[in-house]
Amino acid sequence: MKIERANILVVDDEFGMREGIRRLFEAQGHRVETAETGRLGIDKGVAEEFDIYFIDLRIGDIDGVEVLGAIKGKYPEAICVICTAYASIETAVETTRLGAYHYIAKPFAPEEIQLVFDRALERRWYILEARQLRLEQERRLLEIAQEKSRIRTIINSIADGIVVLNQDAEVVLFNPQYPRLLELKNELVIGRSIREVLPEHLQEMVTDIFNQKDNLQGIQQEFVIRPPAKLVVMANTTPIRDDQNRVLGFVSVLRDISELKQLELLKSQFVNMAAHELKAPLTAIQGYLEMVVDKSLGDEPVVYDGYLRRSLERSKTLITLINDLLNISRIQAGKVRREIERLDLSAQVKSVVDFFANEIEKSGLSAKLELCEGLMIDADREEMQRVLTNLISNAIKYNRPQGLVLVKTSREKGYARLVVQDTGIGMKPEEKERLFEEFFRAKNPHTRTITGTGLGLTLVKKIVDSYAGRIEAESVYEQGTTFTVLIPLAER
Amino acid sequence: MKKKIMMVDDDYDLLQIYIPVLEKAGFEVATANSAAEGLELFKTFLPDLVLVDMAMEHFDSGFVLCHRIKSLPEGAQTPVVILTAASHETGIRFSTQTAEERKWIQADEYLDKPVPARELLAFITERFFSTPDQAHH
């Protein structure tokens, strides 16, 4: 609590006075400047703020009162001690009224001026300290203001909607996303109850919170803003408590969960469709078996042969369907364990066509291969076989007697190109459109006895897509279909 | 003369199951695989009873076919039975219990799929062909 090195200015026309004061205080480690005229005193005293000014009241050129006025005018907090040989009550009163800190009568002993100086310096210290505090406070206020605006900016930038309510459901704070997500028609106003702004169907948002109020730990509410699931928001509200655990208000965070809801919807639609597709073959199988068990067509077992064969066929489809479903869900969950190896596409084609040789012959079809050598791709063998099996078995199933299954491979700008062509029943444009849809199966007089899951091509497309490949179909109804698949060639 | 039944279903196997049983019971049976085919067949076959699957090209194809048949002068009096699994899949129960329901959904009966062949036979015999007079034509 001390100023170690004070700056002192002595304004006095008496050399002895100036030097006396200088020597006294310089010896104590302070810095002392002097001015022998009033003019010089003003110049020096105004140019820089000294801690203590000693001003002689009677200087040659200018009155000391004038010097005092000039200095106090510039530095209102300057500590000025008036020195005068003719001390009188009037001058003392006059100078203190003008802002002098004290006055001292000449001549004075060093102890006298020391005493005045020490008190003046202490005063100065308080003044500087107060000034420092004031500056800090100002800086802190500025920081707080900046901090506030920073937090404001952050809150406004959050994608979720945020609202803070007090105990009376009055809006304390909100970001623009909040009213936007709720599609509020009326503006939110700080200090006004949120109830005034919420439409009827959102009132329970507040009611539910305030019903529980003190007991509320946190509440999650879901609101459909635009039905059916175009805009759905989840409000996550938690109480704000003070250190006594009293509820001061609530902060509610709104999140747009429309996409999640859409997914849920899609999922349930998928499950519905899957259930329907699983049920159809089972219904047929059950019907056939009932006929056999009930002996609906008499006791002769041979009558039922066709029905039993057909049951078997449909139960095979059922197994395939279930396998396809599992494969699709595995691909979608990203849980496919692939063993990527370098494969010769044409060799793969050949092995799959060989596998179907028997069936091709049985169906009265012929197969033709036009294969390009050395088409290497990096792929999982099993997945490529699944793609080829699906396409080739389709070309067989949807063909006609004496028809042709043509499989070609070729090279095309960094891709291996596979073409599977049949001379079968083809598709109508609207059927082709939906070809890769889950569970879609063309329904026309030609397809009625052909079994299938409606998932085969969905699966093929998912696999091809996952290799950054492409699949396309060309078809003419009652003439045939051509599938073209592009898979990136392996890099050397 | 044999009573005629028209059956419309897009599942080949279901037709295969019902046809022989109905034929064995002495009915003349004709089948169609879609609502559109069914409507054409109706006009030429002129059945005494129509059995139609609800969901074919569309989930409500059976309704639409039923409505179209009932709108034809020759079909206004023909009983139509809709077979549906919709009650399990959608949770919607169809019924023709009230006059309002009958007015909207002109089907004469609903049957929940799957219906075993012998049950279907027993049901339609009892409901539509128990006495010769009740049959149409």
Side-chain angles (χ1 to χ4, degrees):
Chain A
M1 239 176 71
K2 207 171 163 212
I3 299 174
E4 295 295 341
R5 183 175 157 81
N7 294 304
I8 302 161
L9 179 67
V10 185
V11 186
D12 204 312
D13 54 354
E14 254 181 80
F15 177 77
M17 273 307 287
R18 295 199 302 271
E19 283 309 303
I21 294 174
R22 184 213 293 277
R23 252 178 271 135
L24 178 63
F25 294 120
E26 274 185 354
Q28 296 171 21
H30 302 299
R31 170 182 158 239
V32 182
E33 293 283 325
T34 58
E36 59 270 31
T37 64
R39 184 77 265 153
L40 203 58
I42 290 175
D43 287 350
K44 277 193 168 176
V46 166
E48 148 186 22
E49 185 179 7
F50 288 85
D51 294 309
I52 312 279
Y53 293 85
F54 287 106
I55 303 166
D56 183 17
L57 208 52
R58 296 278 163 89
I59 328 171
D61 55 342
I62 312 172
D63 196 321
V65 173
E66 203 176 313
V67 178
L68 173 71
I71 288 165
K72 289 300 271 190
K74 178 86 188 283
Y75 306 112
E77 288 174 347
I79 303 276
C80 300
V81 177
I82 301 300
C83 312
T84 176
Y86 309 97
S88 67
I89 294 297
E90 294 95 292
T91 39
V93 169
E94 172 75 355
T95 54
T96 46
R97 200 178 56 79
L98 285 172
Y101 167 69
H102 215 292
Y103 68 91
I104 184 166
K106 286 183 187 175
F108 42 76
E111 307 84 62
E112 280 179 87
I113 192 165
Q114 184 72 52
L115 197 68
V116 171
F117 175 79
D118 288 347
R119 282 172 54 198
L121 201 58
E122 194 178 322
R123 176 68 190 267
R124 175 68 181 166
W125 184 87
Y126 282 119
I127 287 171
L128 289 181
E129 198 65 6
R131 189 187 290 178
Q132 187 62 27
L133 284 173
R134 209 162 53 232
L135 283 174
E136 253 171 48
Q137 199 181 8
E138 274 166 18
R139 206 185 60 232
R140 230 171 270 155
L141 279 173
L142 194 71
E143 271 173 11
I144 287 168
Q146 280 171 345
E147 187 64 24
K148 262 186 163 174
S149 97
R150 191 154 50 219
I151 288 173
R152 177 93 259 177
T153 310
I154 292 168
I155 288 175
N156 286 354
S157 310
I158 294 173
D160 291 349
I162 292 172
V163 74
V164 177
L165 304 177
N166 68 10
Q167 298 182 57
D168 302 319
E170 287 163 357
V171 179
V172 175
L173 179 154
F174 67 95
N175 70 355
Q177 280 69 250
Y178 189 84
R180 198 175 49 78
L181 277 173
L182 293 180
E183 298 197 334
L184 296 182
K185 290 196 176 58
N186 302 314
E187 265 187 51
L188 273 182
V189 180
I190 286 177
R192 296 275 289 276
S193 172
I194 194 168
R195 293 183 217 259
E196 295 172 20
V197 189
L198 292 181
E200 195 56 42
H201 66 285
L202 294 179
Q203 285 289 336
E204 64 176 285
M205 199 163 171
V206 183
T207 320
D208 283 2
I209 294 165
F210 282 84
N211 278 347
Q212 301 186 44
K213 207 171 171 187
D214 293 335
N215 303 319
L216 186 78
Q217 296 301 319
I219 181 170
Q220 287 196 337
Q221 302 155 293
E222 230 177 85
F223 294 96
V224 180
I225 306 297
R226 240 182 293 143
K230 290 277 185 285
L231 179 56
V232 185
V233 296
M234 158 90 80
N236 207 332
T237 307
T238 40
I240 303 166
R241 295 176 187 276
D242 65 6
D243 46 11
Q244 318 273 301
N245 214 26
R246 283 176 304 220
V247 174
L248 301 177
F250 299 93
V251 57
S252 190
V253 178
L254 272 191
R255 174 157 293 183
D256 183 346
I257 56 164
S258 314
E259 262 177 54
L260 207 70
K261 287 279 136 183
Q262 291 280 358
L263 273 179
E264 268 178 29
L265 209 68
L266 278 178
K267 196 180 110 195
S268 84
Q269 276 169 359
F270 182 86
V271 168
N272 236 320
M273 275 188 346
H276 179 88
E277 295 302 318
L278 287 167
K279 200 168 155 189
L282 274 173
T283 306
I285 293 167
Q286 187 180 331
Y288 282 130
L289 294 179
E290 267 162 1
M291 283 181 79
V292 176
V293 171
D294 293 352
K295 297 193 169 64
S296 308
L297 301 175
D299 284 334
E300 201 57 59
V302 74
V303 182
Y304 301 103
D305 273 4
Y307 299 133
L308 289 174
R309 245 197 311 280
R310 194 66 197 163
S311 308
L312 195 61
E313 211 169 297
R314 294 215 67 170
S315 59
K316 279 181 190 162
T317 325
L318 204 49
I319 298 283
T320 316
L321 174 64
I322 290 166
N323 284 335
D324 285 353
L325 279 172
L326 291 173
N327 281 325
I328 283 178
S329 96
R330 229 172 286 153
I331 288 180
Q332 270 166 347
K335 280 189 188 153
V336 195
R337 258 222 348 258
R338 281 182 168 154
E339 280 176 39
I340 302 291
E341 53 182 313
R342 193 141 292 190
L343 297 173
D344 180 334
L345 181 62
S346 298
Q348 294 296 311
V349 168
K350 208 167 167 316
S351 94
V352 174
V353 173
D354 283 349
F355 174 81
F356 281 110
N358 213 357
E359 205 169 327
I360 290 172
E361 202 194 310
K362 231 172 52 191
S363 314
L365 302 169
S366 53
K368 193 176 163 198
L369 303 183
E370 289 175 15
L371 303 178
C372 167
E373 301 241 323
L375 275 182
M376 305 309 283
I377 56 171
D378 286 333
D380 179 275
R381 183 183 295 267
E382 215 174 289
E383 283 188 333
M384 280 307 119
Q385 276 178 357
R386 201 167 288 142
V387 168
L388 290 165
T389 305
N390 263 300
L391 293 177
I392 292 169
S393 78
N394 276 352
I396 297 168
K397 277 199 299 194
Y398 296 97
N399 222 313
R400 326 159 164 272
Q402 272 81 54
L404 179 71
V405 176
L406 174 62
V407 188
K408 296 191 281 190
T409 56
S410 59
R411 196 181 297 271
E412 186 186 295
K413 280 187 218 143
Y415 287 91
R417 178 195 179 93
L418 165 77
V419 175
V420 180
Q421 194 173 355
D422 66 58
T423 54
I425 57 174
M427 283 173 280
K428 296 172 182 170
E430 66 269 22
E431 291 169 344
K432 203 197 96 180
E433 197 96 322
R434 303 181 53 194
L435 197 56
F436 298 107
E437 259 178 41
E438 283 153 355
F439 300 117
F440 174 77
R441 296 197 63 218
K443 278 181 180 170
N444 59 51
H446 302 297
T447 62
R448 78 181 49 148
T449 62
I450 303 171
T451 56
T453 62
L455 286 175
L457 288 174
T458 309
L459 195 59
V460 166
K461 185 166 165 41
K462 280 194 197 302
I463 293 173
V464 171
D465 285 349
S466 73
Y467 284 95
R470 240 178 40 222
I471 181 163
E472 273 163 20
E474 283 302 316
S475 190
V476 180
Y477 185 57
E478 298 195 321
Q479 286 189 27
T481 304
T482 306
F483 282 96
T484 305
V485 177
L486 295 176
I487 303 271
L489 281 169
E491 288 170 22
R492 297 163 199 282
Chain B
M1 203 172 82
K2 280 184 176 178
K3 295 292 180 200
K4 296 199 278 186
I5 295 176
M6 176 174 98
M7 196 159 186
V8 189
D9 200 310
D10 61 349
D11 192 316
Y12 165 84
D13 291 294
L14 292 187
L15 295 177
Q16 295 313 301
I17 290 161
Y18 294 126
I19 293 168
V21 174
L22 294 174
E23 278 177 348
K24 195 159 180 284
F27 293 101
E28 187 184 343
V29 185
T31 61
N33 291 90
S34 66
E37 258 183 66
L39 189 63
E40 289 315 304
L41 180 64
F42 181 88
K43 291 173 190 164
T44 53
F45 184 59
L46 296 174
D48 300 291
L49 172 69
V50 176
L51 300 173
V52 53
D53 184 27
M54 169 75 94
M56 291 183 286
E57 302 99 310
H58 302 287
F59 72 93
D60 61 349
S61 293
F63 273 156
V64 176
L65 178 59
C66 173
H67 183 83
R68 296 237 165 99
I69 288 174
K70 296 281 186 178
S71 315
L72 294 171
E74 61 268 43
Q77 299 303 316
T78 312
V80 176
V81 176
I82 292 182
L83 290 100
T84 173
S87 56
H88 304 293
E89 282 166 24
T90 62
I92 301 166
R93 289 268 338 159
F94 294 99
S95 88
T96 48
Q97 298 299 304
T98 68
E100 182 72 7
E101 285 164 346
R102 279 192 294 275
K103 195 184 120 201
W104 277 101
I105 310 162
Q106 296 174 316
D108 297 77
E109 287 294 348
Y110 280 90
L111 288 177
D112 265 335
K113 284 171 95 173
V115 191
R118 66 184 141 74
E119 280 179 27
L120 180 75
L121 179 63
F123 175 78
I124 58 175
T125 310
E126 156 81 13
R127 171 76 171 77
F128 300 103
F129 302 111
S130 54
T131 62
D133 297 337
Q134 270 181 303
H136 187 52
H137 282 276

